[in-house]
Amino acid sequence: MSARRWAAGLGGATVLALTAGCGMLGIGGGGDDDKSDEERLVEMLNESARLESEIAAAENRIVQNCLEEAGHTVHEPGYFENYEPEEVKSLTYSYPHESFILPAEEAAEFGFGGWTNSEEGMEDPATEEYYEAQEAKWEEEEGGGEEYVEPDYTEWEALTPEEQYAWYVAYQGEEYVEQNYGTEAEYASMYSEEEMVEELTEEEAAALEEEAAAEEEGEIDVEAPEAYEEPKPGGCQLEMIEALYGEPRQVESTYEMDGETYTDKYWEYRPENPTYGGEEDGEDMWANIEAEYAAEMGDKQAEYIDCITGRGYEGWEFNEYNTLPTWEFFYELYYQNVSDDERDMWMDTDSETVVPPMPEDAGDSYEEWKAYEIQMAVDFAECGDEVGFADPSEKAYDKANIDVYLEIEQDVYAWQDDMRDAIAKAQELLDK
């Protein structure tokens, strides 16, 4: 799911409150002809989030009951945290242009904020002012949200390592636990009062340094990453899955790295919410939204590029997300003179994003780069006003979201019915 997208709440509600089997307003069931497409689709998203919260709570409760029947009455709190989904009011969380066209006042004071991620910027007193201003802006626009409360681990930490390990095995099965935590002895050793890591001798340390240097020079081939295969769920988790959904399904995820293709394997059991936008049958709803928006905004994007090019910013192009690679550019700008090791530490050096060449007039010091960034933010904002970019951008993006959500609306209502059936089945199990 794109970073700009609303995401449904994944956690469970504190109390399982079953819903009546009524359909949502609109095409999915019943009807309200007075509602716009967007209003109906927003209601659909909120209903999906609520149902997902309820089924997650039900799953957790079934697993907890299973564990307690086996004698495990103290649970690892992080596994059963409950989240209430936040109600959304729009299909669109933010707009593509907001990442490169900033409010004029913000642009003039802080630029894009890229300087805060540089080595010198982390020591700059103005960095704290920048983050305070960003937090205040977020609270004003989004209401701030509730502060996260860390779960109470007191009872869990009072268990012995052997008791904790036994809980993990009862929850997810031995194969899964061994892959993630090692054997019981290895897990217990992490919590031993004895010294866990022995100090290296001078000879051992020197040997490790030589090996690292050889790797860097290419004398030692670094092993390619192995494809990951997730163990099949076991224990109480598998019992819950089989009771609500039947057998879990193994799925594959293929990706490329350094010219090689890798296939990871995972297990799924709960039907996926169609609004997550995963690629299916060659279709990716998020890519479709971006494509429709790009088709509508092509002329305006060209005008905008002409404007910033006329102000001396050459080589900029819109990417597949209809934004400009400003952050990638600033990483290149602020880390252009550091060693390869430092670049690997601070930058995504494997990124295929192409950024404009470093401008000669940007200077060669942190202060000059920061000044360049601020002026760039001002110029980018002024070009936004000059070509009238924001208003058509918002309209085009809203329309693209509505069009694509309409295409999956029937699938979402069908998924909601499946979740209501699963919730009803869960309630029957919990009532026994």
Side-chain angles (χ1 to χ4, degrees):
M1 182 177 293
S2 160
R4 292 197 300 274
R5 306 294 191 270
W6 166 85
L10 298 179
T14 304
V15 179
L16 176 60
L18 294 179
T19 50
C22 55
M24 280 295 294
L25 295 174
I27 297 175
D32 189 337
D33 295 335
D34 292 333
K35 290 185 181 295
S36 67
D37 284 341
E38 182 173 21
E39 288 173 325
R40 188 182 68 252
L41 292 169
V42 167
E43 287 187 349
M44 179 186 76
L45 291 184
N46 286 320
E47 173 69 356
S48 294
R50 189 186 62 75
L51 288 170
E52 194 152 23
S53 176
E54 289 187 9
I55 191 59
E59 292 170 357
N60 287 342
R61 188 63 256 174
I62 292 170
V63 171
Q64 287 174 336
N65 286 354
C66 172
L67 289 167
E68 288 165 10
E69 288 173 3
H72 300 283
T73 57
V74 175
H75 305 298
E76 209 273 50
Y79 277 72
F80 299 127
E81 286 192 85
N82 296 315
Y83 297 95
E84 293 286 353
E86 292 187 13
E87 183 177 344
V88 298
K89 296 179 173 57
S90 171
L91 298 179
T92 307
Y93 179 72
S94 62
Y95 297 97
H97 66 270
E98 292 176 335
S99 67
F100 58 90
I101 299 177
L102 304 179
E105 191 173 312
E106 179 181 341
E109 184 173 5
F110 297 115
F112 292 96
W115 50 274
T116 65
N117 291 312
S118 68
E119 290 183 289
E120 296 92 341
M122 293 177 189
E123 304 297 326
D124 190 332
T127 294
E128 185 173 350
E129 297 177 16
Y130 171 76
Y131 284 119
E132 288 177 352
Q134 291 299 303
E135 183 176 356
K137 178 182 177 182
W138 175 68
E139 289 181 351
E140 180 180 351
E141 294 177 351
E142 306 296 332
E146 294 183 7
E147 185 177 350
Y148 174 71
V149 178
E150 184 75 23
D152 185 0
Y153 278 80
T154 304
E155 290 186 1
W156 173 257
E157 291 173 350
L159 299 178
T160 66
E162 291 77 13
E163 290 171 328
Q164 292 179 0
Y165 192 87
W167 184 92
Y168 287 125
V169 172
Y171 177 40
Q172 290 177 298
E174 191 167 355
E175 184 181 0
Y176 190 95
V177 175
E178 282 196 7
Q179 185 183 89
N180 289 275
Y181 296 99
T183 64
E184 180 179 336
E186 290 170 335
Y187 181 82
S189 71
M190 291 191 297
Y191 296 91
S192 171
E193 293 181 0
E194 300 175 5
E195 187 174 359
M196 290 187 290
V197 180
E198 296 180 3
E199 290 188 13
L200 297 176
T201 65
E202 291 185 7
E203 292 78 9
E204 289 171 330
L208 286 176
E209 289 180 5
E210 289 179 9
E211 184 177 338
E215 284 185 6
E216 190 171 334
E217 293 297 326
E219 297 174 13
I220 296 179
D221 292 331
V222 180
E223 292 185 8
E226 294 183 3
Y228 173 73
E229 183 168 352
E230 181 184 35
K232 182 179 178 179
C236 287
Q237 184 183 48
L238 181 59
E239 287 191 30
M240 176 274 294
I241 293 169
E242 291 175 336
L244 293 182
Y245 309 107
E247 278 294 307
R249 307 173 305 281
Q250 190 175 53
V251 296
E252 296 183 350
S253 175
T254 301
Y255 63 96
E256 291 188 3
M257 180 181 295
D258 298 329
E260 298 290 333
T261 300
Y262 299 91
T263 300
D264 293 340
K265 296 181 180 180
Y266 301 92
W267 292 89
E268 292 182 349
Y269 51 92
R270 185 200 302 164
E272 184 177 59
N273 185 337
T275 62
Y276 286 175
E279 189 171 341
E280 186 174 334
D281 298 327
E283 291 292 327
D284 183 331
M285 64 177 288
W286 308 123
N288 292 343
I289 289 173
E290 299 299 340
E292 181 175 331
Y293 170 87
E296 181 67 25
M297 288 294 293
D299 290 343
K300 275 295 178 187
Q301 288 178 339
E303 279 186 62
Y304 186 82
I305 292 297
D306 288 343
C307 181
I308 62 174
T309 301
R311 292 180 178 233
Y313 303 98
E314 299 181 353
W316 287 88
E317 295 180 359
F318 283 93
N319 58 29
E320 61 184 309
Y321 303 109
N322 290 295
T323 62
L324 298 176
T326 52
W327 283 93
E328 292 87 348
F329 174 82
F330 293 131
Y331 274 117
E332 291 286 352
L333 180 67
Y334 290 107
Y335 289 96
Q336 59 183 293
N337 296 328
V338 303
S339 67
D340 290 340
D341 285 344
E342 288 177 297
R343 287 173 65 84
D344 290 339
M345 181 184 302
W346 295 107
M347 297 173 58
D348 179 10
T349 52
D350 292 329
S351 173
E352 297 180 357
T353 301
V354 178
V355 300
M358 293 299 99
E360 295 181 0
D361 59 346
D364 54 13
S365 68
Y366 165 71
E367 292 299 337
E368 290 176 309
W369 294 332
K370 181 179 176 182
Y372 179 88
E373 177 189 338
I374 290 173
Q375 184 58 53
M376 174 178 158
V378 170
D379 289 336
F380 275 33
E382 290 179 351
C383 275
D385 290 339
E386 186 175 317
V387 303
F389 198 94
D391 185 58
S393 172
E394 291 179 6
K395 291 177 180 176
Y397 207 64
D398 286 340
K399 182 178 184 302
N401 272 271
I402 291 171
D403 290 346
V404 171
Y405 273 107
L406 284 173
E407 292 177 3
I408 64 167
E409 186 177 16
Q410 290 289 354
D411 293 336
V412 176
Y413 291 132
W415 174 87
Q416 289 178 355
D417 286 340
D418 289 342
M419 290 302 97
R420 292 188 184 98
D421 290 343
I423 291 169
K425 187 182 296 184
Q427 189 66 62
E428 291 176 5
L429 294 170
L430 292 170
D431 286 342
K432 288 182 179 180

